[in-house]
Amino acid sequence: MRAFRYARATDPGEAAALVAGVPDAVYLGGGTNLVDLMKLGVLRPGLVVDVSGLPYDTVAHRPDGGVLIGGAVRGRRLGLDEGIRSRFPALTRALLSGASAQIRTQATVAGNLLQRTRCPYFQDTGTPCNRRSPGSGCAAIPGVHRDLAVIGTSDACVASHPSDLAVALAAYDAVVEVRRPDGEQRLVPIHELHRLPGDTPWIETVLEPGDLITGVHLPPPAAPSATYRKVRDRWSYAFAVVSVAAVLRVEAGRVGDVRIALGGVAPRPWRLWATERALVGTDPGDDDVRAATRLAFADARPLPGNAFKLDLAADLVAAVLRELR
Amino acid sequence: MSAGTGLSRLEGRDKVTGAALYAYEYPVEDPLYVWPVGATVANGSVVEVDPAAALADPEVVAVLDHTNAPRLGQGGIADQHVLQSPDVAYRGQIVAGVVATTPEAAREGAEQMLVRYVERPAKVVLDPSDPSLEEPTAAFGGHPGSDAKGDVDAALAAADVVVDRVYTTPTEHHNPMETVATIAQWSGDRLLVYDSNQGPWTAAVAFGALWDIPPERVEVVTEHVGGGFGAKVRPTPGAVLATMAARVTGRPCKLMLTRQQMFTMSPGRSATRSRIRLGARHDGTLTAVDHDALQYSSVIHEYVEHTGAATRTMYATDNLRITHRLARLNLPTPRVMRAPGHAPGMFALESAMDELAYALDLDPLALRLANEPAVEPAGGLPFAGRHLVECLTVGAERFGWATRDPTPGMRRHGRWLFGTGLAASTYPALQRAATATARAEPDGGFHVWVGAVDLGTGARTALWQLAVEALDAPPSRVSIHIGHSSHGQAPLAGGSSGTASWGGAVRAACTALRERLAEHGGVVPADGLAVTGSTEPPPPDRSRHSYGAHFCAVRVDADTGQVRVDRLLGVFAHGRPLNARTAHSQLLGGMVMGVSMALHEQTVVDPRLGMFVNHDLAQYHVATNADIRGLEAHSLERADDDVTLAGGKGVGELGIVGAAAAIANAVHHATGVRVRDLPITLERVRGQ
Amino acid sequence: MSGDVVLRVNGEDRVLHLDNRVTLLDALREHLRLTGTKKGCDHGQCGACTVLLDGERANSCLLLAVAVAGRAVTTVEGLADGAEPHPLQRAFIAHDGFQCGYCTPGQICSAIGMLAEAAAGLPSAVSADLAGTAAVDLDDEEIRERMSGNLCRCGAYAGIVAAIREVAGG
């Protein structure tokens, strides 16, 4: 780990000023991924600006049923929030499915969105990785990629996004509030926060230097019926092989509204738009749901070691909608 | 209080309050910190090590590489000959070490090291068609490389039913919670090492051989160890590096491997591939058993996992053949891991027995009962206790096996498919040479010293109980001292042999002391009275093994293929344990590792880079608390299993052997899918 | 790159001059000689380093010491009430909830934090009812899930669950 300067910001303007013009500066929230990657030598900041004390640590429920979750809210705090638990069950389940209770004590909502892929090559500086070291190549495509993405990938990178929370936020159509260094607020739909790798996998989000995620806005839920199911290699404390967040409203026996997002399959939470369109207005059986899920995989680029995720995802979506109906 | 009862651990309070000191935690004056640098090629040579960037930090005080490291003696094994040549035999092999005044500076120095290599093509995949496979004459543990009786080929050709299947287990890593840790300190030509290992005396011998000094000049201190499971049986390359750094700098040097480094700088378990062929008559009589086992070692040291060894002892047959073959790969030398040989080998054999039962339309329990041998099938030796049949029948009764419908894939409730399976277990009852010293003090106190180590097995407590019993002294007056090489010759903790061996020596020393005291009319001389006792391994006149049976109930998510073990019940025959409570915990712990082996554990090799890809605890999955439910371990204490001076047979490995097969058999019963390759991942259950 | 940090550990303020890179875990072990808190993975993947931070369980390996200055840190050494061990410490001995003992301080600190979470009504991934606000009734499934951030390679999970169940029930 490279030696670094540490500063604690007491207000957002100070945070922006501290990092301005310092290309190797990073913000520190909970640190559960940042410190991890610094120890591995994957991240080598020269300046760490602690923003965990900034006043973005509240969950505010609005009269219209929407919610603003502060970017510095920690997982434990979010899990305790009664309004979220009762009205956004998929979000709570996703949150509680992620990491361990200890990590949730520390980890922040903003940091969760910005956590890096757990691709093993990204995390090992002794290997090629275009995301970590632009132009060095991708070791995962010809190597071990079982846990990596099957869609939204490129020839340069097949990393998957590891978050659970973000998958639920995608199903709830969250909007990310970003504070620019000049103090202006910018709203970024969750679906647009993470960039697909293309030829530049090292550019992971649409954020610009000095941008700070101050909160996540949840519009009123499309339906009260929602859940999150995570398929993993053990029953707790493991990243998703595939996960699904689904919000479903049934009207007169037919799908009135449905929002489905997958985790573990793509470089960002993967919303199944085509599947949703195909299901609305129908009374689908399991096979119909599977077929509709495959519609969303038309552009999938599975690799030999992870092609099983396509069928698994289809089965999982079918199982979850069966449970919700 | 006497041996056999479930006394809680002597060091329990120290462990729950944080007072127990593990190797890295001993206070030393002005220490330096050592950070190893691992090779980033799998085969080749170091052509240049440039330490300039590392040494630019004033906190970095030394950099060791093959050009400047102290020369070691010829003793020890190849893996321990750290920095003695530029050759790289596997990725992660230590090519340099950075020594600094703080661990932070040492780590950053290691990151700054520039190492250039010439790279050669590497072979890292276990391939049965590899033309250069070796047929070793001996496998680990004194087992023959190959072994045959009768005419297996003819018997297979004549059999009514033949099962011919291949079963594989992956490379696995022990991952004890405490990584390898060492503090090394020289005073002249005397070496003091606080070290996390499985045998302080054997470690002292190894350090002495490496440094060409008598082992008496090496003191290895190993009071508490954060788990071993085989990872710490010998001084690891990192421990050797720490002694080198201390030699070069003249200061105490501390090294603690990172979790990531543990995957290459301490050993793992070899991947195995077992082709099992079973021939049987329609009535279930086994007529042929053939176990052809392939495993690997590194290119610098031969270690042959004795994957076929358990097959020698299990089932009656006139025609038996066991073959071990060895691939030499550019991977770290594998080594023993909990139930070496038997854990992977019995996964294969006990899965094949289940397949044979289905092929014969026989109950898997009945098939095993029908092939119970009178003597050891391979060698013809009489058994020194067995009770496999009793384990199976008692287990069946406790589990409720009798009502089982054998039809696979039939029991679905909601999203879950349910199934049950069984498998047998066995492990050798080993005993090695050991010494212990017992001393009576004039004030009525007793001290017993033995070079034992307690990896969490409960050895300290059990040996103390044994000493109290053998001395027939008030418990409060008896002190046990373990964990120092200077306590005398003692075997390492491995192969479930530790407590039996040390216990034999403790009993011998304490019994001899009582006799000497009697000679003195029961009066302790003014300067005390000390007696050293020792034991030797028993002659190979009988087949000494413990046995057991696992019964397992699983549920499988029909949508996803995820497996959950709902119940795992084991019945084990191992004779009288010194401490029933810690023995029970050992059996449960073995079963937990069995669940983990069955469902989670695999070290994945990148075939191009020769890298263990998933080298941390987020990616190398071991069972969590949430993965374990419904565990039951029951012990049968039968007098003819009391074959050691300490009492019964070891229990450290018995719980893991066969557990993976019982789970795989239950998954087959639940789903109809036979998974022959561990671990039983969801995509394998899904048939993908 | 370094500076004075006041760490409040087990109720006592300790002033240390620390490199910014030093984690809370290494500050405890290497600078304060509080070696009861263990390093198992150093990446938040095993739980051996769990301490209580302002009463909440956290992985000390992922916390920069400089960033927790002034916050209350409780380690396994600070759990006993004088000479009297914490009830969970006693229960771990009584139920043989450990073998090698290396994960044990983290398990015990984690369990204390977990009991507080359950009392506050925090659900877990296996809770059927997310919306309830009352203290959670900790059955074995709940305990197992909530303790899964603490690996035990010796496989003492049955004893760990029994020890926590006893204390939770009392």
Side-chain angles (χ1 to χ4, degrees):
Chain A
M1 194 192 295
R2 181 182 168 201
F4 59 86
R5 290 179 293 129
Y6 171 87
R8 189 177 308 190
T10 51
D11 66 68
E14 184 190 8
L18 281 164
V19 303
V22 185
D24 61 354
V26 293
Y27 289 137
L28 171 70
T32 54
N33 191 207
L34 177 64
V35 176
D36 165 36
L37 291 173
M38 287 166 67
K39 289 183 186 185
L40 294 173
V42 172
L43 296 178
R44 295 178 56 76
L47 171 65
V48 172
V49 175
D50 190 339
V51 295
S52 63
L54 297 186
Y56 305 118
D57 58 347
T58 56
V59 181
H61 291 265
R62 294 174 169 170
D64 69 351
V67 185
L68 178 63
I69 303 170
V73 168
R74 316 234 181 205
R76 184 184 195 274
R77 162 76 185 83
L78 186 58
L80 282 166
D81 189 90
E82 292 169 23
I84 297 284
R85 282 156 57 183
S86 60
R87 295 193 301 112
F88 298 88
L91 188 66
T92 301
R93 289 229 178 270
L95 171 79
L96 298 172
S97 301
S100 67
Q102 288 95 314
I103 287 176
R104 295 194 294 269
T105 297
Q106 280 307 301
T108 64
V109 168
N112 185 297
L113 293 177
L114 296 179
Q115 67 180 305
R116 314 296 290 272
T117 183
R118 263 49 174 205
C119 173
Y121 302 98
F122 175 78
Q123 296 183 89
D124 188 319
T125 58
T127 67
C129 171
N130 286 322
R131 189 172 283 256
R132 169 173 38 76
S133 183
S136 61
C138 173
I141 291 172
V144 178
H145 46 248
R146 187 254 188 186
D147 295 330
L148 302 180
V150 291
I151 193 164
T153 60
S154 71
D155 291 341
C157 184
V158 293
S160 51
H161 195 267
S163 172
D164 295 295
L165 185 71
V167 178
L169 291 175
Y172 282 120
D173 290 301
V175 176
V176 179
E177 296 190 356
V178 178
R179 184 190 187 279
R180 293 177 188 273
D182 62 9
E184 271 195 46
Q185 192 187 65
R186 171 184 173 201
L187 298 178
V188 182
I190 182 82
H191 319 299
E192 296 170 16
L193 177 67
H194 301 96
R195 292 170 44 122
L196 297 181
D199 295 332
T200 56
W202 55 92
I203 307 174
E204 298 190 350
T205 68
V206 299
L207 299 186
E208 289 167 16
D211 281 0
L212 184 67
I213 292 181
T214 56
V216 177
H217 176 248
L218 290 172
S225 179
T227 196
Y228 182 77
R229 273 268 292 275
K230 181 177 185 180
V231 175
R232 41 184 159 176
D233 288 321
R234 59 185 181 191
W235 286 101
S236 190
Y237 201 16
F239 291 98
V241 176
V242 175
S243 65
V244 59
V247 184
L248 176 68
R249 192 176 72 238
V250 178
E251 294 167 352
R254 294 183 177 272
V255 174
D257 194 333
V258 64
R259 323 246 170 136
I260 309 167
L262 296 179
V265 300
R268 66 184 183 204
W270 199 255
R271 187 72 181 259
L272 299 186
W273 306 106
T275 308
E276 295 169 13
R277 283 194 297 272
L279 291 175
V280 168
T282 72
D283 176 18
D286 280 1
D287 285 342
D288 302 318
V289 176
R290 288 190 191 100
T293 304
R294 286 191 197 97
L295 290 177
F297 288 149
D299 297 327
R301 300 160 46 96
L303 294 165
N306 64 12
F308 74 93
K309 286 188 177 184
L310 296 177
D311 279 348
L312 173 59
D315 289 347
L316 185 62
V317 173
V320 165
L321 292 191
R322 193 194 312 137
E323 175 191 327
L324 286 178
R325 293 185 74 191
Chain B
M1 194 62 70
S2 66
T5 57
L7 188 73
S8 64
R9 296 164 197 268
L10 294 183
E11 70 283 2
R13 181 150 177 159
D14 283 349
K15 284 183 172 175
V16 301
T17 58
L21 287 184
Y22 297 74
Y24 198 73
E25 299 164 356
Y26 282 81
V28 287
E29 281 292 307
D30 206 13
L32 295 171
Y33 296 83
V34 187
W35 210 276
V37 177
T40 55
V41 301
N43 189 20
S45 293
V46 173
V47 293
E48 187 194 356
V49 178
D50 180 357
L55 288 168
D57 182 345
E59 292 186 315
V60 174
V61 299
V63 171
L64 297 175
D65 62 38
H66 69 277
T67 65
N68 66 355
R71 296 299 100 185
L72 297 172
Q74 294 303 303
I77 58 170
D79 304 70
Q80 294 167 336
H81 286 233
V82 179
L83 303 179
Q84 300 299 291
S85 93
D87 296 337
V88 174
Y90 55 87
R91 192 180 178 101
Q93 189 173 4
I94 294 175
V95 293
V98 176
V99 189
T101 54
T102 68
E104 293 79 22
R107 161 175 249 159
E108 174 61 9
E111 271 185 48
Q112 292 297 320
M113 291 290 291
L114 296 177
V115 184
R116 286 202 311 116
Y117 307 86
V118 286
E119 192 171 356
R120 290 187 282 275
K123 187 160 68 176
V124 298
V125 176
L126 191 64
D127 174 7
S129 64
D130 181 346
S132 61
L133 294 181
E134 299 170 6
E135 295 196 6
T137 55
F140 185 79
H143 294 279
S146 54
D147 199 5
K149 74 169 186 181
D151 187 336
V152 167
D153 294 322
L156 285 169
D160 293 336
V161 172
V162 172
V163 164
D164 179 355
R165 292 294 186 183
V166 171
Y167 305 88
T168 69
T169 64
T171 298
E172 297 164 358
H173 277 81
H174 314 73
N175 279 308
M177 294 310 300
E178 179 203 29
T179 63
V180 164
T182 305
I183 304 175
Q185 186 166 11
W186 289 89
S187 310
D189 68 347
R190 303 192 79 87
L191 175 62
L192 171 63
V193 192
Y194 301 99
D195 189 48
S196 179
N197 65 59
Q198 295 182 222
W201 188 82
T202 52
V205 170
F207 283 123
L210 288 164
W211 285 101
D212 255 338
I213 56 175
E216 299 77 34
R217 291 195 200 148
V218 183
E219 174 71 331
V220 175
V221 179
T222 311
E223 278 278 350
H224 299 288
V225 180
F229 315 112
K232 302 171 180 173
V233 288
R234 293 167 186 261
T236 57
V240 178
L241 180 67
T243 66
M244 283 181 164
R247 185 72 160 183
V248 167
T249 61
R251 286 168 65 177
C253 282
K254 301 180 68 166
L255 174 142
M256 186 169 204
L257 293 186
T258 65
R259 181 57 58 183
Q260 288 80 358
Q261 289 166 343
M262 282 291 284
F263 284 77
T264 52
M265 297 179 194
S266 76
R269 191 203 296 276
S270 171
T272 72
R273 178 187 188 278
S274 288
R275 182 184 181 192
I276 303 275
R277 285 187 287 179
L278 303 176
R281 289 201 288 268
H282 288 305
D283 68 359
T285 307
L286 275 171
T287 54
V289 175
D290 189 18
H291 190 161
D292 178 19
L294 173 63
Q295 35 280 317
Y296 73 79
S297 193
S298 68
V299 296
I300 55 172
H301 183 80
E302 181 183 289
Y303 167 78
V304 185
E305 179 92 0
H306 45 300
T307 309
T311 303
R312 304 180 81 245
T313 70
M314 286 305 296
Y315 299 113
T317 179
D318 291 333
N319 304 286
L320 175 65
R321 181 168 61 201
I322 289 145
T323 315
H324 288 94
R325 291 179 296 142
L326 187 69
R328 302 302 283 263
L329 302 181
N330 292 104
L331 292 175
T333 309
R335 189 79 56 198
V336 295
M337 177 168 160
R338 199 169 199 166
H342 291 61
M346 285 288 278
F347 165 67
L349 179 66
E350 290 297 291
S351 293
M353 286 293 283
D354 201 65
E355 297 209 55
L356 180 63
Y358 276 91
L360 291 165
D361 198 18
L362 274 178
D363 183 79
L365 175 65
L367 175 65
R368 286 167 174 84
L369 299 183
N371 290 285
E372 174 66 10
V375 295
E376 186 183 84
L381 290 175
F383 288 113
R386 182 161 159 109
H387 307 293
L388 174 58
V389 166
E390 197 180 352
C391 290
L392 286 162
T393 51
V394 168
E397 176 68 28
R398 286 184 174 276
F399 187 78
W401 184 263
T403 57
R404 177 184 190 255
D405 176 347
T407 315
M410 291 287 287
R411 289 149 299 277
R412 181 166 182 166
H413 304 286
R415 62 192 257 216
W416 300 105
L417 292 161
F418 292 85
T420 55
L422 69 81
S425 173
T426 184
Y427 199 74
L430 303 173
Q431 206 181 338
R432 299 190 171 99
T435 61
T437 299
R439 179 180 172 86
E441 303 290 352
D443 66 0
F446 293 90
H447 292 272
V448 178
W449 292 266
V450 59
V453 62
D454 191 331
L455 309 176
T457 57
R460 179 185 280 105
T461 309
L463 294 170
W464 177 78
Q465 287 176 271
L466 196 158
V468 168
E469 179 189 277
L471 290 166
D472 195 20
S476 64
R477 304 313 309 271
V478 178
S479 302
I480 185 87
H481 308 277
I482 67 168
H484 292 244
S485 58
S486 56
H487 293 161
Q489 180 193 344
L492 53 80
S496 296
S497 70
T499 303
S501 309
W502 307 318
V506 167
R507 185 182 294 283
C510 293
T511 305
L513 180 61
R514 279 183 70 184
E515 289 167 7
R516 288 283 303 283
L517 275 173
E519 290 166 15
H520 284 78
V523 180
V524 180
D527 55 350
L529 187 63
V531 177
T532 295
S534 63
T535 54
E536 293 295 324
D541 58 346
R542 289 188 292 164
S543 176
R544 293 177 167 83
H545 298 81
S546 48
Y547 292 88
H550 295 276
F551 292 78
C552 176
V554 300
R555 67 174 70 196
V556 179
D557 189 318
D559 293 310
T560 65
Q562 289 167 284
V563 177
R564 182 189 268 291
V565 173
D566 280 335
R567 189 179 183 199
L568 185 62
L569 180 153
V571 178
F572 304 101
H574 50 74
R576 184 184 67 140
L578 286 172
N579 183 310
R581 167 203 287 253
T582 53
H584 184 248
S585 290
Q586 286 246 78
L587 291 167
L588 291 179
M591 294 165 75
V592 168
M593 204 179 272
V595 173
S596 198
M597 173 186 180
L599 300 181
H600 309 304
E601 294 188 37
Q602 60 175 331
T603 310
V604 182
V605 181
D606 181 302
R608 292 165 65 252
L609 302 177
M611 179 173 94
F612 288 146
V613 176
N614 53 333
H615 51 226
D616 64 30
L617 287 175
Q619 302 176 87
Y620 185 97
H621 292 136
V622 303
T624 68
N625 206 323
D627 295 294
I628 302 300
R629 52 160 85 155
L631 280 191
E632 291 174 58
H634 303 279
S635 291
L636 303 177
E637 293 185 25
R638 299 293 175 259
D640 60 352
D641 278 326
D642 292 340
V643 298
T644 68
L645 272 178
K649 302 166 177 175
V651 293
E653 346 257 321
L654 193 57
I656 188 175
V657 179
I663 293 164
N665 295 341
V667 168
H668 168 259
H669 187 231
T671 64
V673 176
R674 180 69 69 176
V675 179
R676 300 185 181 89
D677 305 287
L678 293 184
I680 305 168
T681 57
L682 59 94
E683 64 263 42
R684 285 174 173 155
V685 174
R686 294 169 59 83
Q688 289 170 320
Chain C
M1 309 288 182
S2 65
D4 287 341
V5 178
V6 181
L7 290 181
R8 167 154 286 219
V9 181
N10 298 331
E12 219 179 300
D13 280 346
R14 308 287 293 265
V15 183
L16 296 170
H17 189 81
L18 293 179
D19 188 311
N20 290 335
R21 293 176 291 187
V22 176
T23 60
L24 175 59
L25 175 61
D26 285 337
L28 294 170
R29 285 173 64 81
E30 296 298 312
H31 296 265
L32 293 175
R33 300 223 45 77
L34 290 169
T35 54
T37 306
K38 303 304 184 191
K39 182 181 286 189
C41 74
D42 215 17
H43 287 270
Q45 301 165 355
C46 79
C49 68
T50 303
V51 297
L52 297 168
L53 187 63
D54 295 330
E56 300 177 0
R57 50 181 171 163
N59 293 320
S60 62
C61 73
L62 293 178
L63 293 163
L64 296 173
V66 65
V68 296
R71 298 180 65 185
V73 177
T74 304
T75 71
V76 70
E77 291 94 341
L79 300 180
D81 181 5
E84 190 57 30
H86 188 281
L88 268 166
Q89 290 175 315
R90 282 204 305 270
F92 267 65
I93 294 175
H95 294 276
D96 214 27
F98 58 92
Q99 293 185 34
C100 81
Y102 199 76
C103 74
T104 312
Q107 299 274 4
I108 292 173
C109 286
S110 184
I112 292 171
M114 184 273 277
L115 293 175
E117 290 165 8
L122 182 67
S124 83
V126 299
S127 302
D129 173 24
L130 295 181
T133 55
V136 178
D137 181 23
L138 288 174
D139 62 15
D140 285 2
E141 284 300 296
E142 284 282 359
I143 294 172
R144 289 184 192 115
E145 161 60 24
R146 290 164 185 267
M147 290 302 295
S148 281
N150 292 82
L151 302 181
C152 170
R153 189 58 162 154
C154 296
Y157 293 131
I160 291 167
V161 172
I164 295 171
R165 189 199 305 127
E166 180 192 303
V167 174

